[in-house]
Amino acid sequence: MTIDEWMFDGLIVLALLALAWRVLHTQDLFKSVVLFIVFGLVMALAWVRLKAPDIALAEAAIGAGLTGVLLLDAVRYFKRPPTTKEEPEP
Amino acid sequence: MTSPAESSIKPTLVLRALSTLAVSAVAVFLIAALVDIPDDAAGLTALAAQHLPSSGVDHPVTAVLLNYRAYDTWLEVGVLLIAVMGMLLFHRRSDLQDIRSMPLAEPVLEWAIKLLFPMIVLVSGYLLWTGKYSSGGAFQAGVVLGAGGVLLWIAGHRSITAFRGPLFRGLLILGFVSFFIVTLANVALQRPILDLPEQYAGTIILLIEAAATLTIAITVAALIIGVQPLMHDSSPSAEVKDE
């Protein structure tokens, strides 16, 4: 592997670790979910570097896309104050 | 005071130390296992490539997913079915017809949808078709199509809430049932249950993948749209109270 590839792969690894740490330690759940989506996208990049394009496609679509949207829905569900009867935003 | 949207658990020092130790141990074991893999370990790659001509597709990953290990894919589609059944049960719905529509979209979104949705259908169809020759297949195509359905709904169209109950439920089970039909046919012919005959393997795989694509698209869209409040519900926050 050339030095460029090492640097690129090293950056991806560092980004994954940093994102994972931030996802777990952010107080705001919305920020955590957004960072989780970003984590999914960087993970898809990692799969491409590991020469597994099918898994990369699935990771980007399902891990980042589907799970991210579902988690955002869940965070919004928690943020609705349970005692008021206001209309939730669509 | 923390709102429900912020985590409020403050672990003790002992708990932190123990969990750090446990996670580090797992990390060390994983890295050791990874280092142990010999450089030229090809696994079953040669075997999979050897039987590729008789598997009906030209891509080894698709052959593994839809032919050699079709049982696993069948059960994955089953897991998706269970997930959407769970969502429907939780919200006590049998179809999505009563979901409140989003307000009509702003002009930019409206214009973008007119451009995007046909492209999404095209890309989804291409991903489905290209599964035979390279990366692609039912899951990717299904999720793209499902995302298109959700986009339609966000822009104010009825999208999958327009499907009547029987059609909606039929599409949900279509993927699982298509595998089941192959199994039944094989049982009737007294062959191994998911063994695909060589001449028809390609066609059968394409049909199964098409059915799975529709199912996955409806499932994905239903999981996202199905949790929205109902049209007639006068107190939309009723679902938030504990029942």
Side-chain angles (χ1 to χ4, degrees):
Chain A
M1 289 222 299
T2 69
I3 190 77
D4 291 331
E5 290 179 8
W6 275 111
M7 273 177 36
F8 189 61
D9 290 345
L11 271 177
I12 292 181
V13 169
L14 286 177
L16 285 175
L17 289 172
L19 280 169
W21 182 267
R22 292 299 302 156
V23 166
L24 291 173
H25 287 264
T26 309
Q27 290 294 344
D28 184 14
L29 286 181
F30 177 74
K31 272 191 213 158
S32 284
V33 172
V34 172
L35 286 172
F36 178 78
I37 297 176
V38 177
F39 178 87
L41 291 175
V42 178
M43 193 71 221
L45 207 59
W47 286 124
V48 171
R49 282 299 295 149
L50 288 169
K51 300 200 178 67
D54 302 76
I55 308 182
L57 274 177
E59 173 76 37
I62 300 170
L66 178 61
T67 317
V69 173
L70 290 179
L71 283 174
L72 280 176
D73 265 349
V75 168
R76 196 185 53 171
Y77 187 86
F78 281 125
K79 276 189 173 166
R80 256 187 263 161
T83 49
T84 65
K85 290 213 187 272
E86 65 194 275
E87 296 275 318
E89 327 107 34
Chain B
M1 183 165 114
T2 54
S3 74
E6 292 179 358
S7 40
S8 54
I9 302 177
K10 299 270 185 282
T12 66
L13 192 60
V14 175
L15 199 58
R16 278 185 201 243
L18 280 177
S19 54
T20 308
L21 205 62
V23 170
S24 313
V26 171
V28 163
F29 282 134
L30 282 176
I31 295 177
L34 200 66
V35 165
D36 246 355
I37 299 177
D39 269 340
D40 55 354
L44 291 170
T45 319
L47 202 60
Q50 183 189 349
H51 290 277
L52 203 55
S54 61
S55 70
V57 294
D58 294 335
H59 189 52
V61 174
T62 311
V64 168
L65 282 177
L66 265 299
N67 196 333
Y68 308 149
R69 302 294 315 179
Y71 189 57
D72 298 328
T73 310
W74 185 19
L75 294 183
E76 279 171 23
V77 177
V79 165
L80 280 177
L81 181 59
I82 292 180
V84 85
M85 269 165 42
M87 182 276 293
L88 288 175
L89 282 172
F90 183 76
H91 289 277
R92 301 196 179 107
R93 290 173 182 159
S94 59
D95 59 52
L96 301 185
Q97 283 199 284
D98 294 327
I99 304 270
R100 196 173 60 184
S101 298
M102 303 274 286
L104 276 166
E106 336 148 338
V108 174
L109 188 54
E110 182 96 21
W111 169 85
I113 284 296
K114 281 194 189 143
L115 213 58
L116 271 181
F117 191 70
M119 299 286 303
I120 287 177
V121 174
L122 208 59
V123 167
S124 167
Y126 173 71
L127 280 174
L128 171 64
W129 178 256
T130 203
K132 175 169 176 174
Y133 307 101
S134 76
S135 315
F139 279 93
Q140 290 89 332
V143 176
V144 168
L145 198 55
V150 174
L151 258 183
L152 261 189
W153 185 77
I154 288 180
H157 300 269
R158 292 213 60 198
S159 182
I160 71 166
T161 67
F163 289 162
R164 281 201 304 277
L167 179 62
F168 176 66
R169 289 190 289 277
L171 281 173
L172 279 180
I173 65 172
L174 185 64
F176 191 82
V177 162
S178 62
F179 277 101
F180 192 58
I181 290 177
V182 172
T183 311
L184 281 181
N186 273 333
V187 165
L189 295 170
Q190 292 182 332
R191 305 169 77 233
I193 57 166
L194 279 170
D195 187 36
L196 300 177
E198 196 172 320
Q199 346 149 243
Y200 300 121
T203 315
I204 295 178
I205 287 180
L206 185 60
L207 288 174
I208 291 181
E209 285 215 297
T213 301
L214 286 175
T215 295
I216 292 169
I218 293 284
T219 302
V220 164
L223 282 174
I224 296 173
I225 298 177
V227 300
Q228 306 298 328
L230 294 172
M231 258 198 305
H232 322 296
D233 197 344
S234 54
S235 58
S237 56
E239 327 174 287
V240 184
K241 298 195 199 115
D242 295 292
E243 303 185 320

